[in-house]
Amino acid sequence: MINVYDVIIVGGGAAGMTAGIYTGRKNLKTLIISMDVGGQTSIPSNIENYPGFDGINGYEMMMKFQAQAMKWGAEMITGKVKKIDKKKDRTFKVGVTSGETYDARAIILAFGKTPLSLGIPGEEKFMGKGVSTCVTCDAPLYRDKTVAVVGGGNSALGGTWELSSLAKKIYLIHRRDEFRGDEVEVERVKKQDNIDIVLSHIPIEVKGDQFVEGLVVEDVNTKKQKTLEVDGVFVEIGFKVDSEFVGHLVKRNEQKEIITNLNCETSQPGIFACGDVSDVIFKQTVISAGEGAKAALQCYHYLSGAKGKVSIDWDH
Ligand SMILES: Cc1cc2nc3c(=O)[nH]c(=O)nc-3n(C[C@H](O)[C@H](O)[C@H](O)COP(=O)(O)OP(=O)(O)OC[C@H]3O[C@@H](n4cnc5c(N)ncnc54)[C@H](O)[C@@H]3O)c2cc1C
């Protein structure tokens, strides 16, 4: 017998778990399929900008999200979704890498994105202990400290600018002899006294004991190496969105993010997207959670066929 869910949510981070809470509360038969519990929010040891929690361990917070989704009836399995197909009856078949398939009347895509890493010694070891991929999240931890930002695009330039009002000194390290980012961003950074621009250098190793203490960089021309004494290293070299498996179903932008409207609808009726995987500009836990709620409510509208009818969460 085929087990048909009302909705399958792909991804168990802040967006997916919140969507699960809302679809559960709408009595929709919900399955969350995710490679892990909590997504990227589980990585930081201290989240300081989620309303209601004035500092909480990311993993601990995501356990609360999961417990709340389960409490409202969402089921969850661990797995990687590799295929989604639309059937003739306009429902969907979802295939996971282990070979199982699951059917659903609607899909919520909440599978996030992955920050690109440098792949150098020490980077993984010190992730969350001085190495970060998110200036917006971690900049306040480096007040009056010395940090390095690695990257040459707008996110590295913008991140460096953001840090310059907090940190004592920032080394901006880029492998080329000029930046890829917008001229305005470049000029702004060049004018700032506490930013030391280190062009034509690549990071070689993150050094430290318990926390980051230095970054070894190498001149791409002379191959000469030096160690910069820093308390933190921000890796701002972009993100990867693994959305190929839905490319035949939904429209995506150049970054392979899924294009959504204000209500988290995609170009495919019955498929919704939310959080980091969508083309929403700001990538933060609170935003993913809000987007997850929107996607779930819009999905409920779609499934109930109540187009235009206003239905709010507590209106059971
Ligand atoms: C080091 C670091 C620190 C951060 N600090 C903060 C902070 O302090 N405050 C803040 O607001 N934000 C912070 N962020 C950003 C925040 O973590 C993200 O914006 C947020 O996690 C996005 O949530 P999401 O649910 O959209 O995606 P994600 O958290 O990326 O979750 C996606 C989920 O989908 C799963 N998945 C992916 N592909 C598949 C697939 N094919 N099949 C099944 N499952 C799949 C993943 O395993 C994951 O569980 C930080 C990020 C990092 C990396």
Side-chain angles (χ1 to χ4, degrees), residues 152-265:
N154 279 339
S155 56
L157 291 160
T160 303
W161 172 253
E162 196 176 326
L163 279 159
S164 69
S165 60
L166 288 163
K168 186 168 69 187
K169 179 169 183 156
I170 304 119
Y171 294 102
L172 174 56
I173 295 144
H174 184 40
R175 64 198 160 123
R176 299 185 203 281
D177 57 4
E178 57 182 40
F179 292 105
R180 280 183 293 113
D182 297 340
E183 206 48 44
V184 183
E185 298 275 359
V186 177
E187 285 310 312
R188 205 164 60 155
V189 160
K190 278 184 178 165
K191 282 186 195 141
Q192 198 67 17
D193 287 342
N194 61 345
I195 298 173
D196 189 343
I197 296 173
V198 187
L199 291 174
S200 303
H201 277 72
I202 51 167
I204 296 292
E205 185 179 356
V206 182
K207 290 197 166 255
D209 182 16
Q210 298 291 313
F211 293 91
V212 168
E213 290 169 13
L215 178 67
V216 184
V217 293
E218 182 181 275
D219 187 315
V220 292
N221 301 310
T222 65
K223 305 292 174 209
K224 213 173 144 194
Q225 296 191 356
K226 61 181 173 187
T227 301
L228 307 174
E229 280 183 25
V230 293
D231 306 294
V233 177
F234 287 91
V235 181
E236 290 286 338
I237 55 173
F239 293 92
K240 192 172 89 176
V241 184
D242 279 330
S243 58
E244 282 316 307
F245 70 99
V246 291
H248 60 298
L249 289 170
V250 293
K251 282 196 181 141
R252 296 174 296 161
N253 64 13
E254 269 180 26
Q255 289 76 42
K256 308 292 179 198
E257 295 165 333
I258 297 160
I259 298 172
T260 54
N261 67 13
L262 281 176
N263 300 323
C264 300
E265 290 170 304

Side-chain angles (χ1 to χ4, degrees), residues 11 14-15 34-36 40-41 49 79 81 111 133 137 276 284-285 288:
S34 184
M35 297 197 296
D36 62 37
Q40 288 184 76
T41 308
N49 56 2
V81 173
F111 54 89
T133 51
C137 317
D276 278 14
Q284 289 283 276
T285 298
S288 284

Side-chain angles (χ1 to χ4, degrees), residues 123-141:
E123 183 187 23
E124 208 178 310
K125 180 180 170 193
F126 293 108
M127 184 59 74
K129 294 176 181 166
V131 175
S132 170
T133 51
C134 182
V135 171
T136 310
C137 317
D138 293 336
L141 304 174

Side-chain angles (χ1 to χ4, degrees), residues 9-17 33-50 61-62 76-83 95-96 109-115 127-128 131-134 136-138 239 242 245 274-278 282-289 291:
I9 299 167
V10 184
M17 291 296 186
I33 306 177
S34 184
M35 297 197 296
D36 62 37
V37 176
Q40 288 184 76
T41 308
S42 304
I43 303 171
S45 54
N46 197 19
I47 304 260
E48 295 182 324
N49 56 2
Y50 197 90
M61 185 163 89
M62 292 320 296
M76 182 167 176
I77 57 163
T78 307
K80 178 172 183 169
V81 173
K82 63 166 185 182
K83 204 167 189 260
V96 293
L109 302 173
F111 54 89
K113 63 175 173 41
T114 320
M127 184 59 74
V131 175
S132 170
T133 51
C134 182
T136 310
C137 317
D138 293 336
F239 293 92
D242 279 330
F245 70 99
C274 50
D276 278 14
V277 79
S278 75
F282 301 109
K283 314 290 190 188
Q284 289 283 276
T285 298
V286 67
I287 293 170
S288 284
E291 289 263 305

